[in-house]
Amino acid sequence: MNRKQICSVTMRLVQFCRHGDASGVRIGVEHAEGQGVIDLKAFDISMPSTMKEFLEMGERGIECAQRALSSGRCMVAWSDLKLLAPVTSPEKVVCVGMNYRDHCLEQNAPIPEEPVIFSKFPSSITGPYDEITLPVNSNEVDWEVEMAFVIGRRGKHIKEEDALSHIVGFTVANDVSARDWQMQRNGKQWLLGKTFDTFCPLGPALVSPGMLKDVHKLGIRCLVNGAVVQESNTDQMIFKTEKVVAWVSQFVTLNPGDVFLTGTPPGVVCVSEAPCVPPGEI
């Protein structure tokens, strides 16, 4: 299987554990008819237990997932499992700031001429349905829904036209942010305000590029207590996926499992003309 064939693969990869066995992390591929998840290690004992290790296998891992999906064997019912973040303990969590035109307008901010890159610690990642822990030393916690993607192939100085061949899948993230620590403290460096434990809910699935007609024409929204607070489209992204991969890979080697968050649309609590408010007042 060559890289072009891998880019055309259609599957949804997940990490999960069975109820009552939180330490038993497994990799799965969602059954096409929605009946559950196929346990890859049960299908092939040589498969690893974590997504990062699976991605490091490269084409062999993807081929095994395809065979498992075609077989329909080793199915785990949805009622018997808990979905985890699709990637845990990546080497990097790379984020892009101010990357939606409509968000820049909301913030009365100029359109960036180059990608604005920052990071979160990998320990901030939590599952898609896990609770977010509000830190005792912040009263200004905010939400940021983002399209995310995960690197599947190692690369440095990647060309824009080759970027998609380095991506194994797309998912959803919340770049939870403590605005007081981001904008007022820590010398106004963003890191601490972005990287509290549980401040990066991720998932539930890695959707292969072959399942998406155009990743830059996708609806994106965030709901809080059932109410829509953010809603836009990825066509508002200033720097597209390919540009982001090419830009960041000038500086660092990208490795399988690296997570990218691509920016947030308007609708955050903290805007330039209105100060952040404590969570209890939202």
Side-chain angles (χ1 to χ4, degrees), residues 29-213:
V29 56
E30 291 187 14
H31 190 267
E33 297 178 5
Q35 298 175 10
V37 171
I38 297 171
D39 184 338
L40 292 188
K41 195 169 185 66
F43 176 79
D44 183 340
I45 193 64
S46 71
M47 288 294 104
S49 296
T50 69
M51 188 69 73
K52 187 172 182 290
E53 293 172 309
F54 171 79
L55 297 178
E56 288 169 348
M57 296 181 70
E59 296 176 9
R60 178 171 165 244
I62 298 297
E63 289 171 350
C64 178
Q66 279 195 303
R67 293 196 306 273
L69 187 59
S70 298
S71 76
R73 293 164 39 209
C74 305
M75 184 87 67
V76 182
W78 290 113
S79 58
D80 294 333
L81 61 84
K82 175 187 177 182
L83 288 171
L84 309 173
V87 179
T88 45
S89 301
E91 182 180 278
K92 308 177 195 67
V93 180
V94 181
C95 307
V96 188
M98 307 305 295
N99 198 31
Y100 275 66
R101 293 183 184 278
D102 47 7
H103 180 53
C104 289
L105 291 173
E106 172 192 50
Q107 297 287 321
N108 292 322
I111 302 297
E113 296 182 1
E114 297 176 339
V116 178
I117 303 299
F118 64 97
S119 66
K120 297 169 86 80
F121 290 148
S123 56
S124 65
I125 291 177
T126 191
Y129 306 114
D130 292 342
E131 292 187 354
I132 297 168
T133 301
L134 298 179
V136 296
N137 53 342
S138 174
N139 291 317
E140 298 179 1
V141 176
D142 204 351
W143 50 72
E144 291 191 15
V145 65
E146 311 211 4
M147 182 179 77
F149 62 83
V150 175
I151 297 297
R153 183 163 68 106
R154 190 174 189 269
K156 182 78 181 287
H157 297 294
I158 299 167
K159 297 178 181 178
E160 287 190 40
E161 57 266 32
D162 297 329
L164 283 181
S165 72
H166 288 262
I167 295 173
V168 70
F170 293 82
T171 190
V172 181
N174 190 340
D175 177 17
V176 183
S177 306
R179 300 300 188 194
D180 40 6
W181 284 95
Q182 178 189 356
M183 298 179 175
Q184 302 165 29
R185 304 186 64 178
N186 193 43
K188 297 186 179 180
Q189 295 290 321
W190 287 8
L191 177 64
L192 289 184
K194 294 282 189 174
T195 204
F196 284 93
D197 292 345
T198 75
F199 267 27
C200 189
L202 189 67
L206 282 185
V207 181
S208 64
M211 295 190 73
L212 300 169
K213 184 176 180 180

Side-chain angles (χ1 to χ4, degrees), residues 245-270:
V245 170
W247 179 263
V248 174
S249 72
Q250 295 179 86
F251 305 95
V252 295
T253 300
L254 304 184
N255 288 309
D258 287 349
V259 176
F260 278 70
L261 277 60
T262 61
T264 197
V268 297
V269 172
C270 188

